[in-house]
Amino acid sequence: HEAAAAEIRAAVPGAAIGVAHNVMGFAPERPGNPFDRLLVKVGHRFYNRTLLDAFGEGRWSAYLPPFTRLSGKRPGLPASLDFLGINYYSRLHLRFLGDGGRIGSFAYRDPRGRGLTDNGWEVVPGALLPLLREAASSGKPLLVTENGLADAADAKRVAFLEEHVAVLAEAEEEGLPVHGYLHWSLVDNFEWLDGWEPRFGLLELDRETLARRPRPSSEAFRGLAAAYLARSRAVSAGR
């Protein structure tokens, strides 16, 4: 990344250069179990924090039990980044001592009974805010580069959008440097893990004809965007 950033700046001095960091919420499978809670700390540190340290401080150190250790130092790395992208979708529940002798196992759960997404992910808007707070510790402007859900029936998407945009409003009130939000995705897409099955789009894609049909949630997204722009203009006019 550091070498690529130097090449881009040489060719386009005004370019804004960033990376997209996929972050994940973690929770103990058994909240009262100290080993599950410890596993959550280790998982969060390894999965979410290591990259933040690398780009925020130019050094990193991570441990994934029992044998995986990653550490390194690149002092020029923080200066190679103009903004940090955050991809957020869901939360994993961790349990100490998994199947086959593994130190732990992970699974998506639905402890609040809200219903999982079509591809079995938990919907947890509240886990995004603490992740944004931690990402802000990198000292970089933040951009939510991916956020969405697989919902072919378009039954949960409107509430999903409203709740996650509300989290962004909280982040703004706290003064976190969140500068934008990109929904995943505009049109149903091919997922590298699950192929064509998950339907993430605001627009439905007919895979035979490639016709695109707006889902009802696309209008909700339009309304949320319009409200945000109106608020931003009002704030700018008041300065």
Side-chain angles (χ1 to χ4, degrees):
H1 172 87
E2 187 178 343
E7 293 292 331
I8 293 170
R9 285 178 175 149
V12 188
I17 299 171
V19 297
H21 179 27
N22 189 76
V23 298
M24 179 71 71
F26 291 102
E29 177 81 19
R30 300 162 295 182
N33 186 295
F35 294 103
D36 287 8
R37 295 200 303 269
L38 178 61
L39 206 57
V40 165
K41 291 181 180 179
V42 171
H44 172 77
R45 171 75 188 172
F46 186 86
Y47 192 89
N48 293 327
R49 186 73 212 185
T50 305
L51 186 138
L52 297 179
D53 290 344
F55 280 103
E57 304 172 11
R59 60 182 183 274
W60 59 94
S61 178
Y63 171 56
L64 188 65
F67 305 119
T68 302
R69 291 185 180 274
L70 297 174
S71 62
K73 180 170 64 174
R74 291 195 68 90
L77 200 56
S80 71
L81 197 70
D82 297 310
F83 71 91
L84 178 64
I86 295 296
N87 297 353
Y88 171 73
Y89 289 93
S90 188
R91 176 172 70 171
L92 284 172
H93 295 253
L94 305 184
R95 183 184 184 95
F96 181 69
L97 293 181
D99 298 332
R102 293 178 298 168
I103 196 163
S105 62
F106 60 88
Y108 294 101
R109 303 295 187 197
D110 186 22
R112 296 172 300 159
R114 296 192 54 167
L116 301 174
T117 66
D118 290 354
N119 55 345
W121 295 354
E122 183 186 7
V123 177
V124 199
L128 175 57
L129 185 57
L131 290 167
L132 290 174
R133 290 183 187 128
E134 191 156 16
S137 69
S138 67
K140 305 296 181 182
L142 305 179
L143 176 66
V144 177
T145 36
E146 288 187 29
N147 177 243
L149 80 166
D151 181 20
D154 207 39
K156 299 183 177 72
R157 190 170 286 110
V158 172
F160 181 97
L161 287 167
E162 291 174 345
E163 290 173 337
H164 284 81
V165 168
V167 170
L168 297 183
E170 290 185 62
E172 186 178 19
E173 290 175 4
E174 289 188 14
L176 300 182
V178 181
H179 291 266
Y181 173 90
L182 306 178
H183 177 262
W184 189 269
S185 60
L186 176 63
V187 182
D188 290 334
N189 62 290
F190 180 86
E191 289 285 318
W192 293 115
L193 183 62
D194 297 313
W196 287 106
E197 190 63 29
R199 299 291 188 142
F200 280 91
L202 293 169
L203 277 65
E204 180 183 3
L205 175 69
D206 186 316
R207 298 196 299 268
E208 299 299 325
T209 66
L210 301 186
R212 295 153 170 80
R213 291 182 290 271
R215 291 188 167 103
S217 58
S218 63
E219 284 302 313
F221 185 77
R222 185 196 303 271
L224 290 168
Y228 173 80
L229 291 173
R231 187 172 70 250
S232 296
R233 292 181 184 124
V235 170
S236 299
R239 286 175 179 168

